[in-house]
Amino acid sequence: MPTTERNAPIDVPRGLKGVVVTDTALGDVRGLEGFYHYRQYSAVELAETRTFEDVWHLMFHGTLPDAAGRAAFTARTAELRRLPGDVRDALPAIARSCALAGPLAGLRTALSLAGASAGFRPLYDIDADRRRADALAASALVPTLLTALHRLGQGLAPVEPRADLPYAANYLYMLTGQEPEPARARAIERYLISTIDHGFNASTFTARVITSTGADLAACLVGAIGALSGPLHGGAPSRALDTLDAIGTPERIDPWIRERVLAGDRIMGFGHPVYRTEDPRSRMLKEIARGFGGPLVDFAVQVEERVEAILAELKPGRELHTNVEFYAGVVMELCGLPREMFTPTFASARVVGWCANILEQAEDSKIIRPAARYTGPPPPQPVPAI
């Protein structure tokens, strides 16, 4: 219950659900409608009609570029993809140290090093132009770091980025060493666009909290990556696909799902903390998957239908549908991405959204400093003697 006493703590829901913490011009999620947008445009429509660089420009500069603006921005960001020499030299050791944890864990260390190497200064101490330059450099560098760390972890040499390839195609090229088929590159591009931003999720909020302290941009991004790594946030695309593998065959769908639901287990790839209808990202990715076709897609659609029916039966009154992670895993599998790179691929797009939020938050000098309710033994108590 809120109190009228000035500066006194205010009780809020667990997880800050529904609590408005700031104003933003970057976008919003309207969960009851199954709709989300980047600035004034439908995010799904942008994914269907525009390039990744177009939407990157929109998030950073507030406008969609024309043809000339697109060419200039694409060329500028492509120039920023190459790793500095000292960062490149350190990557083998980082990859070895993170052999078990994977590229996303390595990215935290590599990005800290890259920020220090580039001379990133506290956001509090630099002007808006320098902040944007740092954000552009970090966003362009993250895909190169991720793919290099993955390849090193596989005993392969990193692949140098190509300035003649657009963002998504270059990402797949650096990952595999081969120029991707246009259909696969476009499928991944649409996925990447659809995941650039999505309201005040845990990683975005983390980035903005760190930004409010005035820290440098790399520090803000490393915190966001840490939040994204959790399986309840960005760590679920591969787990959703693992669910399909565990079920295995159509006749096992019902008993497998019923057993998990009755045991109180979460079915990865289903449900969302905001959407109370179908996740629009899932709907788009399902369409992309069906465009490829094949046994995996057919089985995924069958599992989706049965899971939703069983959840409706066992949890009546709750709207539980596929979220972005379910068909994201299917699409990435069809496009040849290894599962350990599903969440890192998510991060390679979300870094643009994080940076846009960091730039916006940096305009506000107020530090984010909530309160907590103490529930331990009543103080003060005597300190016991030894």
Side-chain angles (χ1 to χ4, degrees):
M1 177 71 68
T3 177
T4 57
E5 183 182 345
R6 187 173 181 180
N7 295 327
I10 299 173
D11 286 346
V12 297
R14 288 182 64 213
L16 302 181
K17 184 176 181 179
V19 175
V20 175
V21 295
T22 194
D23 296 327
T24 181
L26 295 174
D28 193 21
V29 180
R30 303 209 298 249
L32 295 178
E33 302 172 40
F35 173 78
Y36 76 114
H37 57 102
Y38 301 154
R39 297 196 184 270
Q40 67 268 45
Y41 303 107
S42 161
V44 171
E45 185 177 353
L46 287 168
E48 291 171 343
T49 62
R50 287 287 194 150
T51 68
F52 187 90
E53 287 84 354
D54 285 351
V55 184
W56 189 354
H57 187 282
L58 172 69
M59 297 301 285
F60 273 39
H61 298 286
T63 60
L64 285 169
D66 57 16
R70 171 191 288 176
F73 188 77
T74 299
R76 183 184 177 196
T77 55
E79 292 173 356
L80 298 171
R81 293 171 178 166
R82 290 190 176 275
L83 298 174
D86 53 348
V87 177
R88 185 189 303 109
D89 292 344
L91 287 185
I94 296 173
R96 286 194 300 272
S97 299
C98 299
L100 297 178
L104 199 63
L107 179 63
R108 298 199 296 265
T109 301
L111 194 54
S112 288
L113 176 60
S117 174
F120 284 4
R121 293 168 53 206
L123 295 164
Y124 186 79
D125 294 334
I126 57 178
D127 61 22
D129 288 342
R130 177 60 193 271
R131 292 172 193 156
R132 187 172 286 107
D134 288 353
L136 204 64
S139 298
L141 205 59
V142 161
T144 310
L145 290 170
L146 284 170
T147 53
L149 287 166
H150 170 71
R151 289 183 64 86
L152 287 166
Q154 300 297 309
L156 303 171
V159 174
E160 289 295 316
R162 280 175 48 180
D164 62 312
L165 292 177
Y167 188 94
N170 178 66
Y171 178 77
L172 291 174
Y173 170 72
M174 291 191 297
L175 187 64
T176 65
Q178 298 180 342
E179 188 170 339
E181 298 173 4
R184 290 186 172 186
R186 181 55 184 157
I188 293 301
E189 181 174 48
R190 290 175 67 186
Y191 166 67
L192 293 174
I193 292 171
S194 74
T195 55
I196 282 176
D197 193 51
H198 201 248
F200 264 45
N201 53 80
S203 57
T204 297
F205 184 53
T206 299
R208 292 188 73 130
V209 169
I210 299 172
T211 302
S212 79
T213 72
D216 70 79
L217 186 129
C220 303
L221 292 177
V222 168
I225 294 165
L228 181 72
S229 67
L232 297 185
H233 188 7
S238 60
R239 294 176 183 237
L241 206 57
D242 292 342
T243 295
L244 296 181
D245 289 343
I247 295 172
T249 57
E251 62 271 13
R252 279 176 44 82
I253 297 174
D254 281 33
W256 195 94
I257 295 299
R258 285 182 184 279
E259 180 181 345
R260 267 61 184 183
V261 173
L262 291 173
D265 296 340
R266 183 181 179 191
I267 308 299
M268 288 296 184
F270 287 81
H272 194 275
V274 177
Y275 290 117
R276 292 299 172 264
T277 183
E278 187 179 14
D279 186 330
R281 302 168 297 177
S282 178
R283 183 166 57 245
M284 184 193 75
L285 290 164
K286 182 178 181 179
E287 171 199 329
I288 294 172
R290 279 182 153 162
F292 286 108
L296 175 61
V297 178
D298 294 341
F299 186 53
V301 172
Q302 195 172 2
V303 168
E304 176 194 12
E305 292 172 352
R306 291 306 306 148
V307 169
E308 290 194 352
I310 293 169
L311 288 172
E313 173 193 338
L314 299 179
K315 295 182 178 290
R318 294 181 61 186
E319 289 284 345
L320 291 170
H321 303 279
T322 54
N323 55 42
V324 64
E325 292 147 355
F326 186 79
Y327 282 107
V330 174
V331 169
M332 284 189 274
E333 181 96 340
L334 293 171
C335 289
L337 275 73
R339 294 189 188 186
E340 61 270 22
M341 286 300 290
F342 284 7
T343 300
T345 300
F346 185 105
S348 74
R350 185 54 63 86
V351 66
V352 171
W354 290 332
C355 282
N357 275 275
I358 289 166
L359 294 175
E360 187 177 65
Q361 184 67 42
E363 295 297 320
D364 183 357
S365 61
K366 182 69 172 179
I367 191 170
I368 297 174
R369 174 60 166 88
R373 179 187 295 106
Y374 175 72
T375 59
Q381 296 187 22
V383 177
I386 296 177

